[in-house]
Amino acid sequence: GENVEQHPSTLSVQEGDSAVIKCTYSDSASNYFPWYKQELGKRPQLIIDIRSNVGEKKDQRIAVTLNKTAKHFSLHITETQPEDSAVYFCAASKSSGTYKYIFGTGTRLKVLA
Amino acid sequence: DSGVTQTPKHLITATGQRVTLRCSPRSGDLSVYWYQQSLDQGLQFLIQYYNGEERAKGNILERFSAQQFPDLHSELNLSSLELGDSALYFCASSVVPGFTDTQYFGPGTRLTVL
């Protein structure tokens, strides 16, 4: 069935370094790819998203890239700060046929001060 | 604050019991989604409603059911509870029924089954 693989499951970086999280999706009809940040015990919150007609999107220190041919997309966080420490989830969805919104398994990011 | 509200915040109950979780979407949002998140796990999509009608179904158990009312709030009913049902249950809402728009999550209900 359709799935979204997310790597790595845990990631530790030094404050100020960059962090990259990668997701691969299986359904080539997927056309919307959001990223959510979830702090401990809190709700997931959208931090950035990208649609299939765009290859890259940036918002300050956060960027997402999409490679439709390879069916993968990545989250890039530059100049990491301790408050970036959280679990990050990617997701892939599509608007045609049976609606699906599939989340990756999450990446626990730890930014070391 | 996303504008999505969920009650109760915490719920402790026993195996075999039945509980109801409630969600109010953001003002103007017609679509409501329910997710289950077990300890240190990802988000499992359960079910989606749009303007009162079931729109999509995920990995929802037969012991679970949901509905969306005319005022657009939604309830998730969990019956014959088992220990493994202990989890955080999130509700999310969005404006349009397609999955390619932003979902806003509520604060969640933490269910503990003893």
Side-chain angles (χ1 to χ4, degrees), chain B residues 39-105:
Chain B
L39 190 65
D40 281 344
Q41 296 289 311
L43 291 156
Q44 293 295 319
F45 167 66
L46 296 178
I47 198 164
Q48 180 213 2
Y49 279 83
Y50 168 66
N51 208 19
E53 307 243 335
E54 182 185 303
R55 186 70 182 240
K57 226 169 186 175
N59 301 321
I60 189 167
L61 299 172
E62 283 192 16
R63 300 184 284 109
F64 296 0
S65 64
Q67 54 184 324
Q68 187 180 27
F69 295 87
D71 67 352
L72 301 177
H73 91 270
S74 178
E75 292 180 357
L76 178 67
N77 300 297
L78 315 176
S79 61
S80 304
L81 284 167
E82 302 174 358
L83 296 177
D85 297 327
S86 295
L88 254 177
Y89 290 84
F90 286 104
C91 159
S93 73
S94 69
V95 175
V96 295
F99 272 77
T100 56
D101 66 313
T102 303
Q103 294 187 20
Y104 296 90
F105 282 78

Side-chain angles (χ1 to χ4, degrees), chain A residues 31-32 36 38 41-44 46 49 51 89 93-95 99-101 103 105 108, chain B residues 1-2 4 35 37 40-43 55-56 90 98-103 105-107:
Chain A
N31 56 4
Y32 176 62
Y36 288 85
Q38 187 180 26
K42 302 272 184 76
R43 75 189 81 196
L46 180 79
D49 58 12
R51 298 181 192 275
F89 291 98
S93 76
K94 62 179 182 178
S95 56
Y99 293 123
K100 289 261 190 235
Y101 202 107
F103 280 88
T105 48
R108 186 175 299 277
Chain B
D1 187 359
S2 66
V4 179
Y35 293 88
Q37 186 175 42
D40 281 344
Q41 296 289 311
L43 291 156
R55 186 70 182 240
F90 286 104
F99 272 77
T100 56
D101 66 313
T102 303
Q103 294 187 20
F105 282 78

Side-chain angles (χ1 to χ4, degrees), chain A residues 1 11-12 89 96:
Chain A
L11 179 60
S12 291
F89 291 98
S96 62

